[in-house]
Amino acid sequence: MRYSYEQLEQWDKEYVWHPFTQMKTYVQEHPLIIERGQGSYLFDVNGKKYLDGYASLWVNVHGHNDPELNEALHMQIETIAHSTLLGSANVPSILLAKKLIELWPGLSKVFYSDTGAAAVEIALKMAYQYWKNIDPVKYAAKNKFVSLKEAYHGDTVGAVSVGGMDLFHRIFKPLLFERIEVPSPYVYRMDEYGDEEEIVRYCLQQLEDVLEREHEQIAGVIVEPLIQGAAGIITHPKGFLKGIETLCRKYGVLLICDEVAVGFGRTGTLFACEQEQVTPDIVCLGKGITGGYLPLAATLTTDRVYEAFLGEVDEDKTFYHGHTYTGNQLSCAVALKNIELIEKRNLVENVRKKAERLTKKLEKLYEIPIVGDIRQKGLMVGIEIVQDRNTKQIFPRSEMVEHRIILEARKRGLIIRPLGPVITFIPVLAMTEDQMETAVDILFDSIAEMSKVVR
């Protein structure tokens, strides 16, 4: 049965509560209702097509409706859709774990979940219990985590506890455990500290001061490698991530790298940590792991961490954590095929080439007076919108300038999303160079149009 747009719009507004969406505003507009996808395009129920400029929330790798991913899913569903991983195993989860460890030298064990936030939650609990399992008396005080200013690691209570985005997290403060915040190298807004190198030095010194003073109370440091995504595509200068690893080793705390948003080719290497030769104690993966097909996440760790959980039944060293769909066969089968296609199609190398061309194309946006900063790493782009380029003052939230820009882009056939004052462009990784050029042209026209209105 085919329903009319009007009927779907009515039911959407009547029954659905959308994430990260002010519903009072949402119901005043006509919603975008997606019906199907093909390659780098999404199609709404009226047949209009749009370039997927946010990779369906940063997850799509090879494009929508990929024949080989479809086939992998069909083959698996004809075998079995799901059986529990609690106390038993299944074939796709074994093969995928083996592959992930082959891709991550220095790590040795995979713990599955179904969202990036869950992968982070697992990492935090794993790090905390690790110290208690080793020596509950000696490490009784190791209960704190360090994270960056404007950090975002998901929306479960543990993940929010290590988050640093006031807008998202302040309302939940009474529910959260203690976290220590250290500065992040947000170069665009840290002129007073000097150039990139000096800013990195300052931020690392602040972290070292904390670790030197409180390492006996700190279980781990958690960081988004190279890019803080939800904070507005804040790109970290070279050396910052490596510096964090060095300090964690020096002061004996675990390093947790949240690669949920930046993994699987997004930054121009398969994993972001590769760019600074960093091997964390725990890694969180998600989003692009299945190519944008099915929910799946994974928390990877070392033999050292894993072995701390081994013991007799009555020692209570077991990691008591799990999800109903942990290691789901459908998700794992598609993830395996996704990684195979990444390798077969030379996707990572192609991302690097396209990113170089995209950098040149984006420079044109600086012609628009309200564009303050353009930040890019691989195929992750953030365009900071400012009211005044000299003072870097942003527009009042009540004016909804960024939201109006994305509506302009939608009219022109591009779907993007804002993060506060930042317009993001996170394309499908397989998007062609011509399609990306079209997308940037639409971005230019949409921001330029808004610049005329607000100035």
Side-chain angles (χ1 to χ4, degrees):
M1 179 180 294
R2 186 172 179 82
Y3 298 99
S4 68
Y5 175 85
E6 291 74 20
Q7 184 66 81
L8 291 169
E9 178 182 17
Q10 178 188 334
W11 290 338
D12 178 43
K13 292 178 178 179
E14 187 173 353
Y15 300 120
V16 181
W17 190 347
H18 292 262
F20 280 91
T21 302
Q22 177 45 254
M23 297 304 294
K24 183 176 181 180
T25 302
Y26 181 87
V27 298
Q28 295 170 358
E29 300 171 350
H30 292 299
L32 173 64
I33 305 176
I34 299 299
E35 184 174 53
R36 63 187 180 91
Q38 186 64 54
S40 296
Y41 289 97
L42 294 168
F43 295 79
D44 68 20
V45 292
N46 294 317
K48 182 176 178 179
K49 74 176 183 178
Y50 309 83
L51 280 167
D52 188 350
Y54 61 175
S56 293
L57 208 54
W58 311 5
V59 301
N60 199 285
V61 174
H62 304 286
H64 299 278
N65 205 15
D66 183 272
E68 293 190 71
L69 290 177
N70 290 353
E71 182 183 8
L73 179 58
H74 291 156
M75 288 178 63
Q76 181 58 48
I77 205 166
E78 290 176 0
T79 304
I80 185 172
H82 178 68
S83 65
T84 182
L85 218 61
L86 275 68
S88 62
N90 71 62
V91 176
S93 72
I94 295 170
L95 299 179
L96 177 60
K98 179 177 181 292
K99 184 63 178 178
L100 289 173
I101 295 306
E102 289 171 354
L103 296 172
W104 270 100
L107 303 182
S108 59
K109 291 293 184 289
V110 176
F111 196 103
Y112 289 112
S113 55
D114 46 18
T115 68
V120 168
E121 198 87 10
I122 288 163
L124 298 175
K125 292 174 68 176
M126 197 177 279
Y128 172 85
Q129 189 177 338
Y130 165 77
W131 296 108
K132 302 305 181 278
N133 280 2
I134 292 175
D135 191 327
V137 176
K138 182 178 179 180
Y139 298 121
K142 272 191 175 287
N143 303 326
K144 299 178 183 178
F145 289 88
V146 177
S147 65
L148 300 180
K149 180 178 174 62
E150 297 299 316
Y152 177 83
H153 297 287
D155 300 320
T156 54
V157 171
V160 169
S161 292
V162 292
M165 297 187 67
D166 193 54
L167 176 63
F168 293 170
H169 301 150
R170 63 174 176 250
I171 187 65
F172 301 109
K173 191 172 182 179
L175 301 178
L176 310 180
F177 60 70
E178 184 176 359
R179 149 190 178 265
I180 302 171
E181 180 177 280
V182 293
S184 164
Y186 190 175
V187 174
Y188 178 61
R189 295 194 174 273
M190 295 180 74
D191 294 338
E192 67 272 28
Y193 295 98
D195 61 19
E196 283 192 0
E197 187 175 326
E198 291 169 319
I199 290 169
V200 167
R201 189 159 50 244
Y202 165 76
C203 291
L204 290 176
Q205 185 59 58
Q206 294 297 301
L207 173 59
E208 180 157 23
D209 290 347
V210 167
L211 292 176
E212 184 177 28
R213 184 176 64 248
E214 300 188 55
H215 64 273
E216 292 182 354
Q217 289 83 46
I218 294 170
V221 174
I222 182 167
V223 62
E224 300 161 79
L226 304 187
I227 306 170
Q228 288 177 257
I233 317 299
I234 299 174
T235 53
H236 295 163
K238 185 177 181 180
F240 181 63
L241 179 62
K242 189 65 177 180
I244 292 175
E245 181 191 39
T246 300
L247 291 173
C248 286
R249 303 295 173 243
K250 179 178 179 180
Y251 290 98
V253 301
L254 297 179
L255 173 60
I256 303 168
C257 284
D258 177 358
E259 288 244 7
V260 170
V262 297
F264 297 98
R266 179 57 64 182
T267 66
T269 48
L270 188 60
F271 299 108
C273 285
E274 294 175 35
Q275 295 186 33
E276 300 208 359
Q277 294 80 51
V278 167
T279 302
D281 299 291
I282 304 175
V283 170
C284 305
L285 302 176
K287 287 196 183 294
I289 192 170
T290 67
Y293 265 60
L294 291 165
L296 181 67
T299 305
L300 281 57
T301 193
T302 61
D303 275 332
R304 171 190 163 204
V305 171
Y306 171 77
E307 287 169 2
F309 290 79
L310 303 180
E312 302 302 325
V313 174
D314 57 1
E315 289 184 272
D316 288 331
K317 290 188 173 183
T318 302
F319 188 46
Y320 291 111
H321 189 103
H323 300 269
T324 302
Y325 285 95
T326 293
N328 171 258
Q329 286 97 318
L330 297 178
S331 297
C332 290
V334 174
L336 268 169
K337 177 58 70 171
N338 172 47
I339 294 170
E340 178 189 316
L341 295 180
I342 287 174
E343 295 173 338
K344 185 173 77 172
R345 296 173 179 176
N346 296 316
L347 182 125
V348 175
E349 182 181 348
N350 290 334
V351 165
R352 284 196 292 268
K353 291 177 181 177
K354 288 186 286 191
E356 290 177 8
R357 184 169 174 182
L358 179 60
T359 300
K360 296 174 184 175
K361 183 75 174 176
L362 288 167
E363 286 294 319
K364 180 178 173 62
L365 297 181
Y366 278 121
E367 297 175 10
I368 308 171
I370 64 172
V371 172
D373 192 31
I374 300 171
R375 299 185 287 272
Q376 179 195 1
K377 178 70 73 172
L379 294 185
M380 295 185 80
V381 177
I383 303 154
E384 189 152 346
I385 304 299
V386 294
Q387 191 169 16
D388 187 304
R389 192 176 273 175
N390 294 321
T391 65
K392 302 181 183 178
Q393 179 183 354
I394 62 175
F395 287 94
R397 286 176 63 197
S398 59
E399 293 189 20
M400 299 178 65
V401 170
E402 298 79 19
H403 180 68
R404 289 152 66 190
I405 289 171
I406 71 165
L407 293 182
E408 284 291 332
R410 190 183 297 177
K411 291 178 188 174
R412 293 168 165 81
L414 172 67
I415 301 176
I416 50 177
R417 275 186 65 81
L419 288 167
V422 179
I423 301 297
T424 65
F425 176 51
I426 317 285
V428 171
L429 288 182
M431 186 176 285
T432 67
E433 290 185 354
D434 287 345
Q435 289 169 337
M436 281 198 289
E437 287 211 9
T438 298
V440 175
D441 288 340
I442 293 173
L443 277 167
F444 183 93
D445 293 342
S446 303
I447 299 171
E449 180 66 26
M450 187 54 54
S451 184
K452 296 175 189 175
V453 174
V454 297
R455 290 184 64 84

